Amino acid sequence: MKQTQSYQSIKLSDKSIEKFDDTLVTEAPLQININKEPYTVVMRTPGNDIELVRGLLYAEDIYKKQGDVKVEIIKNEKDFSTVLNVNIPEEKLGKGYLNKRTLLSVSSCGICGKKELKDIKTEGNTLKNSSKTNVKELIEVTNRIHLKMNSKQFLFKTTGGSHACAVFNKNEELLTIKEDIGRHNAVDKCIGDLINQNILKNANYMLVSGRVSYEIVSKAFLAKIPIIIAVSACSSLAVDFAKEFGIFLIGFSRGNKMTIYSTPHDLQK
């Protein structure tokens, strides 16, 4: 299965703007059934799925024996979503399964813990945005809010081991910034804070310190935040959903350079 996909993007700097085909890592859901019953869904890059399942079963204390278990592919879709079933004799199921642990809290995977593929769908109307964006202004805005977020990343400065999410309004005013070991947790903390302050409707830019996956795009969409700016890469599914949801998605935002993957705005030189 393909582990990368090519997407047409816009590479932007203070000196040039050019369209090019960028190669992104594939992100797709894998549903794991145990004895034909849905157990969990994990987001992964396709390939070595059986090894992934065996490792997960071991780590979750579901099946730690050396003997082979029968793993069969039930569904393998063109969008790389896959359903696997693992047959394990009931008497050999470990405490992890008997305790019904289903990966409900995993800092690196916001979607992990869903039981079936249908559970990861996000519904709603596409965000409407007809504004015009000037290239120079976009770079300047991005640099300014980067500096504001960086100045508030106290946990990262102390440990070097945390992610950050910061949300700004249209005037580039910082509404909230949160840090966490998990990217998705930092996003959830920001959205929760804005809800508690009753200012979620003012959110316009979401800046994240790491990469962007489907889950972060989905969270921004549900919060009606139209612009996501990432310091690092974007996954294939993140780009797909950003385009579908009407979200302006920017990756590799560093200094005077960035890569634009989804631009519902009118981007002008």
Side-chain angles (χ1 to χ4, degrees):
M1 298 180 72
K2 290 177 63 177
Q3 294 191 310
T4 62
Q5 297 181 63
S6 181
Y7 285 75
Q8 188 176 79
S9 311
I10 300 173
K11 185 163 284 189
L12 199 64
S13 74
D14 55 347
K15 296 180 180 179
S16 65
I17 177 172
E18 60 176 316
K19 289 185 178 180
F20 77 113
D21 290 330
D22 198 8
T23 300
L24 306 184
V25 63
T26 299
E27 179 188 26
L30 171 67
Q31 177 178 321
I32 301 169
N33 295 352
I34 296 179
N35 298 332
K36 299 182 179 179
E37 291 292 328
Y39 178 69
T40 192
V41 173
V42 296
M43 300 301 281
R44 94 299 188 210
T45 297
N48 305 115
D49 285 341
I50 292 177
E51 290 86 347
L52 170 62
V53 170
R54 286 305 303 267
L56 183 145
L57 295 178
Y58 187 92
E60 287 295 301
D61 193 18
I62 295 170
Y63 187 78
K64 287 193 170 183
K65 300 184 183 300
Q66 295 297 314
D68 290 335
V69 294
K70 184 180 179 182
V71 181
E72 55 184 340
I73 298 175
I74 297 175
K75 188 183 296 183
N76 207 349
E77 301 290 353
K78 291 181 179 179
D79 62 358
F80 306 108
S81 61
T82 303
V83 180
L84 294 180
N85 182 66
V86 187
N87 287 312
I88 304 174
E90 228 173 282
E91 65 275 11
K92 293 185 178 180
L93 287 169
K95 293 180 181 178
Y97 183 79
L98 299 176
N99 291 338
K100 299 299 181 184
R101 292 179 60 205
T102 54
L103 309 181
L104 290 177
S105 180
V106 181
S107 63
S108 62
C109 178
I111 203 69
C112 296
K114 304 293 186 183
K115 285 197 171 185
E116 298 186 59
L117 296 179
K118 62 181 177 63
D119 294 333
I120 69 171
K121 293 181 180 178
T122 303
E123 297 180 352
N125 296 324
T126 299
L127 299 184
K128 302 297 182 184
N129 197 319
S130 58
S131 62
K132 296 181 179 180
T133 302
N134 176 275
V135 168
K136 182 181 178 182
E137 181 183 353
L138 178 61
I139 292 174
E140 291 175 350
V141 167
T142 302
N143 284 337
R144 285 195 294 266
I145 64 176
H146 263 294
L147 288 173
K148 291 180 181 179
M149 183 176 82
N150 292 343
S151 68
K152 301 288 185 180
Q153 287 183 252
F154 304 121
L155 184 61
F156 179 78
K157 290 175 183 176
T158 303
T159 67
S162 63
H163 282 289
C165 174
V167 181
F168 301 80
N169 63 17
K170 289 182 178 180
N171 297 323
E172 304 169 36
E173 295 170 334
L174 178 63
L175 301 179
T176 183
I177 177 172
K178 302 297 178 187
E179 295 182 90
D180 195 279
I181 195 169
R183 294 172 296 115
H184 307 90
N185 296 342
V187 172
D188 285 336
K189 288 179 179 180
C190 279
I191 293 174
D193 186 26
L194 295 177
I195 291 171
N196 288 339
Q197 295 184 62
N198 197 29
I199 57 173
L200 182 59
K201 62 181 181 298
N202 297 335
N204 190 66
Y205 303 98
M206 176 185 284
L207 180 58
V208 293
S209 63
R211 65 180 176 83
V212 172
S213 60
Y214 149 83
E215 184 76 355
I216 287 180
V217 173
S218 177
K219 290 177 186 295
F221 170 68
L222 292 172
K224 292 183 169 52
I225 302 175
I227 302 172
I228 301 175
I229 303 168
V231 173
S232 193
C234 301
S235 75
S236 64
L237 206 57
V239 176
D240 289 339
F241 275 82
K243 290 179 178 179
E244 182 176 340
F245 292 159
I247 287 177
F248 195 154
L249 179 60
I250 299 170
F252 295 112
S253 175
R254 301 167 184 174
N256 291 330
K257 297 181 180 180
M258 64 183 68
T259 302
I260 299 173
Y261 294 102
S262 172
T263 173
H265 298 58
D266 181 8
L267 186 63
Q268 300 177 330
K269 293 184 178 181

